[in-house]
Amino acid sequence: MKPFDYRAPADAATAVRTVAADPSAVFLGGGTNLVDHLKLGITTPGLVVDVTALTSAEITGRHGGLRIGAAVRNSDLSADHRVRERYPVLAEAVLAGASGQLRNMATTGGNPLQRTRCVYFQDVTTPCNKRQPGSGCSAFGGYTRHHAVLGASPHCIATHPSDLAVALTALDAEVQVLGTTGERSIPFGELHRLPGEHPELDTVLDHGELITAIDLPEAPIAANSTYRKVRDRASYAFALVSVAAALRIEDGVVRDSRIAFGGVAHKPWRAHQAETVLRDAPANEDTYRDAAEAELAEAVAVDGIDGGNGFKLPLLTRTLVATLRDLAGEAR
């Protein structure tokens, strides 16, 4: 592992200025996979700036919703009674991720910034456009079981690993960010990028910008919400596909919905087409299936030496139908 300097500034503003002034500097916070990448040689920063204790570790009420400090531990987030009662999809997504020990260390600000778990990204002996732009994508023709079927590009078909981020996308959360020019808010659904021609860029954050909090809006629909994750084993595994959903039904008709997918794209995928199909449609399995098919109309499966990822399309359809069917039963 390449040696690096380490600093623990006294406040967030100092940390931001320090990282912004040094192109080789990175933030260290709970929930990112930076330490893994240091060990693997994926990243070789010259300076690591510890921000673990520089943002709020509290959950507070705000404008009818909640403000979650970036230093709130995932375990504390999932245990908070306000989150469990008003945003159950968020608590369930957190509990579906990693292990208890990791949830005790991961933070709300760090977890969404973890990078892909693509085997080629993590293997420095193979070409990877995300790790080394312009070198190629080894996943094409290789192991593709866990890779993207939505929003991919010829340069990258990796997926985003965070369960928490899928739920926050469905909830229309907002990210509070501190940079050298001050604070700004970013809709959570716009925080992460699709790969396009620059898969090395995971988010729209400028170098040196630091997440300080995440805001959940007042959302009565979120009380009837859930997270369903399909994976190769029951725990400590990343999603093959996942669904975060909230549903409001009146007189047997879907009046409103919030849906996001995980495990299928370079970023948490907001299912806008599915939401459009559901709106004012009968609350039944035919409608739910139509919604899934509309969202997947432009999905592209990729062949691979492991059989490819085409199975994700019917799997995601069945998962969405089952999730909405269960939520509809709760709504009656």
Side-chain angles (χ1 to χ4, degrees):
M1 185 167 64
K2 175 187 174 182
F4 55 83
D5 292 331
Y6 170 87
R7 295 182 196 172
D11 55 72
T14 301
V16 166
R17 289 194 300 270
T18 300
V19 172
D22 185 347
S24 74
V26 295
F27 291 123
L28 172 64
T32 67
N33 41 4
L34 173 63
V35 174
D36 294 337
H37 293 171
L38 290 171
K39 294 177 180 178
L40 292 169
I42 294 172
T43 185
T44 54
L47 172 64
V48 172
V49 178
D50 193 335
V51 296
T52 306
L54 302 187
T55 56
S56 172
E58 296 183 355
I59 302 173
T60 56
R62 184 178 182 276
H63 303 319
L66 295 176
R67 169 161 285 186
I68 306 166
V72 170
R73 302 292 179 176
N74 280 13
S75 53
D76 292 332
L77 178 65
S78 63
D80 188 273
H81 71 92
R82 295 162 295 180
V83 174
R84 286 175 172 264
E85 293 171 5
R86 294 159 56 185
Y87 309 93
V89 63
L90 189 57
E92 292 174 16
V94 170
L95 292 173
S99 64
Q101 293 94 330
L102 288 176
R103 290 194 294 270
N104 286 338
M105 290 299 297
T107 61
T108 305
N111 178 280
L113 298 182
Q114 61 183 300
R115 307 194 73 190
T116 183
R117 291 318 206 272
C118 173
V119 294
Y120 300 105
F121 175 70
Q122 296 188 110
D123 181 356
V124 296
T125 69
T126 62
C128 171
N129 287 321
K130 177 176 281 292
R131 181 170 21 83
Q132 186 178 355
S135 63
C137 177
S138 296
F140 284 102
Y143 293 98
T144 59
R145 175 177 173 80
H146 287 86
H147 286 70
V149 295
L150 291 167
S153 81
H155 303 283
C156 183
I157 54 173
T159 54
H160 194 271
S162 172
D163 296 294
L164 170 65
V166 181
L168 291 172
T169 298
L171 290 171
D172 293 315
E174 289 228 338
V175 184
Q176 305 305 316
V177 175
L178 177 65
T180 55
T181 59
E183 300 176 343
R184 66 169 174 145
S185 297
I186 305 172
F188 196 90
E190 298 176 12
L191 174 64
H192 298 92
R193 299 178 70 259
L194 291 177
E197 295 184 355
H198 293 283
E200 73 277 11
L201 301 176
D202 292 321
T203 72
V204 298
L205 295 176
D206 294 330
H207 182 68
E209 284 192 310
L210 176 68
I211 294 176
T212 58
I214 295 177
D215 291 341
L216 299 178
E218 183 177 16
I221 188 176
N224 186 42
S225 65
T226 192
Y227 186 74
R228 184 170 297 210
K229 179 178 181 178
V230 181
R231 45 192 163 174
D232 284 327
R233 59 182 185 271
S235 65
Y236 202 56
F238 298 101
L240 294 170
V241 302
S242 66
V243 172
L247 198 63
R248 180 168 67 88
I249 295 176
E250 295 176 356
D251 301 323
V253 175
V254 178
R255 296 305 182 191
D256 197 7
S257 64
R258 302 285 188 276
I259 300 172
F261 298 151
V264 295
H266 194 258
K267 60 181 287 185
W269 187 269
R270 183 64 180 268
H272 292 294
Q273 294 299 320
E275 292 176 2
T276 298
V277 170
L278 289 169
R279 190 171 297 116
D280 296 327
N284 58 44
E285 292 196 17
D286 288 339
T287 296
Y288 308 152
R289 190 169 291 103
D290 289 344
E293 291 175 355
E295 194 63 48
L296 293 173
E298 296 184 5
V300 177
V302 182
D303 292 331
I305 58 177
D306 55 357
N309 61 5
F311 73 94
K312 286 192 175 187
L313 278 62
L315 179 60
L316 184 56
T317 297
R318 293 194 299 269
T319 303
L320 179 61
V321 170
T323 303
L324 295 179
R325 183 185 61 222
D326 290 351
L327 284 177
E330 294 292 330
R332 292 193 176 95

